[in-house]
């Protein structure tokens, strides 16, 4: 096959930042996707409906003229989040979901939740009104090895949470382990997962062999090969529990190429091309549309998008860096080529 046309897709998890960086990166996503679930880990974080509404306006103003792109906003949960503002924001269509960051887990998560017990009332309200919960699934205890933090989170936090609130819609974000895949597969219909392009392409060797490669570093960190293979199997299986969420996370080149580099891989410019490469390698081109355009929308209870996008097998070269507003950003696959190219949109 040399051409594939699918319903316009959605990115169910990404980071836009704010200000000049946001204005530089939004066009990449607006070019590829109809909608995106926008993460709230700004500094300061998006903790109220009013902040989400303002942030949405700033994003909309950055969408190129003539583009049709809808940002879907999330609220950042803290130990003191109030259920009323969150529920009102959801009811009014301002916030689509709420994001649980365990405090200290990743970029701008310092004001995250220190113990899920502290937000149980909020989660009960979300379950009651059908508002989805996006979860960064890693424990943060210093004694847990970074490569084990997702698996331990399942046992300590995710499994008890899902058992306590089976009616809560939970998205286990950016899964990186066979443990998470198995958990999601075995859980009820209200549990789903996003999978990033990088976790389908790379294992931890890509980050650490032959020198330390900061542009391959994100959180949760890429794991060993057996986990990558489990993720590739899950993404291309056709299961409605797995869907596209890039976790595109722009950090300027100099903030990654430094003694303490930021976590995050900027994959927005060629996200569809990157995912499609994997689906082709797995002989699953016929399952790409479900993963990219249907499973996520259905899980969130959103209408499927109108219109289509077409990818052609003409190949695309990935730039060594792109403009990131204040400073350049190195995209995923920088300097490489991918076999597919987005043709229209
Ligand atoms: O690598 C990551 N980058 N993982 C996250 O969870 C957050 C993200 C960011 O905001 O940079
Ligand atoms: Zn993220």
């Amino acid at each position: 096959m040399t051409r594939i046309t699918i319903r316009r897709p959605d990115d169910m998890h990404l980071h836009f930042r704010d200000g000049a960086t946001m204005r530089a990166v939004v066009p990449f996503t607006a070019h590829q996707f109809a909608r995106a679930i926008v993460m709230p880990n700004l500094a300061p974080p998006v903790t109220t409906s009013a902040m989400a509404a303002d942030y949405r306006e700033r994003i909309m103003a950055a969408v190129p003229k003539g583009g049709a792109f809808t940002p879907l906003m999330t609220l950042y949960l803290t130990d003191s989040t109030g259920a009323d503002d969150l529920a009102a924001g959801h009811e009014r269509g301002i916030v689509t979901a709420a994001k649980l960051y365990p405090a200290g887990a990743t970029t701008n998560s310092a004001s995250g939740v220190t113990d899920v017990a502290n937000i149980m009332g909020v989660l009960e309200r979300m379950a009651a009104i059908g508002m989805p919960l996006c979860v960064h699934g890693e424990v943060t205890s210093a004694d847990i090895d970074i490569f084990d933090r997702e698996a331990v989170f399942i046992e300590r936090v995710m499994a008890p949470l899902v058992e306590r609130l089976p009616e809560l819609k939970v998205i286990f974000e950016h899964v990186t382990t066979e443990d998470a895949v198995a958990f999601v597969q075995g859980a009820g219909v209200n549990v789903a997962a996003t999978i990033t392009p990088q976790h389908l392409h790379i294992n931890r060797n890509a980050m650490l062999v032959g020198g330390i490669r900061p542009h391959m570093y994100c959180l949760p960190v890429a794991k060993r090969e057996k986990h990558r293979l489990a993720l590739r199997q899950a993404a291309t299986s056709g299961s409605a529990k797995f869907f596209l969420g890039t976790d595109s996370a722009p950090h300027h080149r100099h903030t990654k190429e430094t003694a303490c580099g930021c976590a995050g891989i900027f994959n927005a410019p060629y996200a569809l091309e990157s995912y499609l490469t994997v689906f082709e390698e797995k002989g699953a081109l016929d399952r790409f549309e479900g993963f990219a355009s249907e499973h996520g929308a259905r899980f969130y209870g959103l209408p499927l998008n109108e219109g289509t996008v077409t990818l052609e097998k003409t190949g695309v070269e990935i730039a060594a860096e792109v403009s990131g507003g204040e400073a350049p950003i190195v995209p995923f696959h920088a300097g490489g080529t991918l076999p597919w190219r987005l043709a229209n949109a």
Side-chain angles (χ1 to χ4, degrees), residues 72-89:
L72 302 172
M73 310 310 292
T74 57
L75 276 195
Y76 183 113
L77 297 174
T78 72
D79 284 345
S80 52
T81 298
D84 288 345
D85 174 64
L86 177 131

Side-chain angles (χ1 to χ4, degrees), residues 140-145 149:
T140 55
S141 328
D143 61 319
I144 305 296
D145 188 280
R149 289 181 172 197

Side-chain angles (χ1 to χ4, degrees), residues 134-154:
C134 306
V135 179
H136 183 108
E138 288 190 287
V139 294
T140 55
S141 328
D143 61 319
I144 305 296
D145 188 280
I146 190 148
F147 291 101
D148 298 333
R149 289 181 172 197
E150 184 174 281
V152 173
F153 185 89
I154 297 170

Side-chain angles (χ1 to χ4, degrees), residues 200-247:
L200 297 172
H201 279 278
I202 64 168
N203 61 31
R204 61 197 197 177
N205 283 11
M207 190 175 51
L208 296 169
V209 171
I212 187 155
R213 298 175 199 277
H215 300 291
M216 298 296 184
Y217 172 60
C218 66
L219 287 171
V221 70
K223 308 295 192 299
R224 54 171 73 239
E225 180 66 358
K226 67 171 181 173
H227 298 292
R228 185 182 79 101
L229 296 178
L231 297 167
R232 286 166 71 94
Q233 185 57 37
T236 58
S237 68
S239 165
K241 282 177 161 284
F242 298 97
F243 46 84
L244 188 159
T246 63
D247 198 20

Side-chain angles (χ1 to χ4, degrees), residues 47-330:
T47 49
T48 66
S49 302
M51 291 172 85
D54 289 349
Y55 185 31
R56 183 171 67 176
E57 288 304 308
R58 298 196 295 279
I59 294 168
M60 292 296 286
V63 175
K65 294 272 171 297
F69 173 74
T70 305
L72 302 172
M73 310 310 292
T74 57
L75 276 195
Y76 183 113
L77 297 174
T78 72
D79 284 345
S80 52
T81 298
D84 288 345
D85 174 64
L86 177 131
H90 184 65
E91 176 117 329
R92 289 165 50 213
I94 298 167
V95 286
T96 299
K99 178 71 186 275
L100 167 59
Y101 284 106
T106 186
T107 307
N108 294 332
S109 63
S111 8
V113 174
T114 58
D115 186 336
V116 169
N118 296 336
I119 56 162
M120 200 45 76
V122 172
L123 299 181
E124 284 166 357
R125 183 77 167 271
M126 288 174 64
I129 64 174
M131 182 175 182
L133 175 72
C134 306
V135 179
H136 183 108
E138 288 190 287
V139 294
T140 55
S141 328
D143 61 319
I144 305 296
D145 188 280
I146 190 148
F147 291 101
D148 298 333
R149 289 181 172 197
E150 184 174 281
V152 173
F153 185 89
I154 297 170
E155 179 191 311
R156 291 194 187 169
V157 184
M158 193 60 121
L161 173 63
V162 164
E163 192 174 328
R164 168 139 186 202
L165 292 176
E167 64 291 4
L168 178 65
K169 282 192 199 180
V170 175
I171 302 100
F172 198 152
E173 300 287 359
H174 41 56
V175 288
T176 63
T177 57
E178 64 179 6
D179 313 65
V181 166
F183 174 79
V184 170
Q185 282 167 339
V189 290
N190 288 329
V191 178
T194 53
I195 305 181
T196 76
Q198 58 266 23
H199 294 112
L200 297 172
H201 279 278
I202 64 168
N203 61 31
R204 61 197 197 177
N205 283 11
M207 190 175 51
L208 296 169
V209 171
I212 187 155
R213 298 175 199 277
H215 300 291
M216 298 296 184
Y217 172 60
C218 66
L219 287 171
V221 70
K223 308 295 192 299
R224 54 171 73 239
E225 180 66 358
K226 67 171 181 173
H227 298 292
R228 185 182 79 101
L229 296 178
L231 297 167
R232 286 166 71 94
Q233 185 57 37
T236 58
S237 68
S239 165
K241 282 177 161 284
F242 298 97
F243 46 84
L244 188 159
T246 63
D247 198 20
S248 181
H251 290 281
H252 298 120
R253 180 193 275 276
H254 65 278
T255 67
K256 289 188 68 71
E257 296 176 9
T258 182
C260 184
C262 294
I265 294 180
F266 181 59
N267 56 35
Y270 298 97
L272 288 173
E273 291 90 333
S274 183
Y275 280 113
L276 186 57
T277 301
V278 173
F279 276 73
E280 185 179 37
E281 286 166 359
K282 291 285 291 176
L285 288 177
D286 57 324
R287 294 178 175 167
F288 186 54
E289 183 172 43
F291 180 78
S293 317
E294 296 173 354
H295 301 166
R298 290 203 183 106
F299 187 82
Y300 272 86
L302 298 166
L304 299 183
N305 296 313
E306 300 293 331
T308 59
V309 297
T310 296
L311 291 109
E312 292 172 346
K313 205 163 177 195
T314 51
V316 66
E317 287 182 18
I318 315 295
E321 62 178 33
V322 300
S323 167
E326 294 101 342
I329 302 174
V330 176

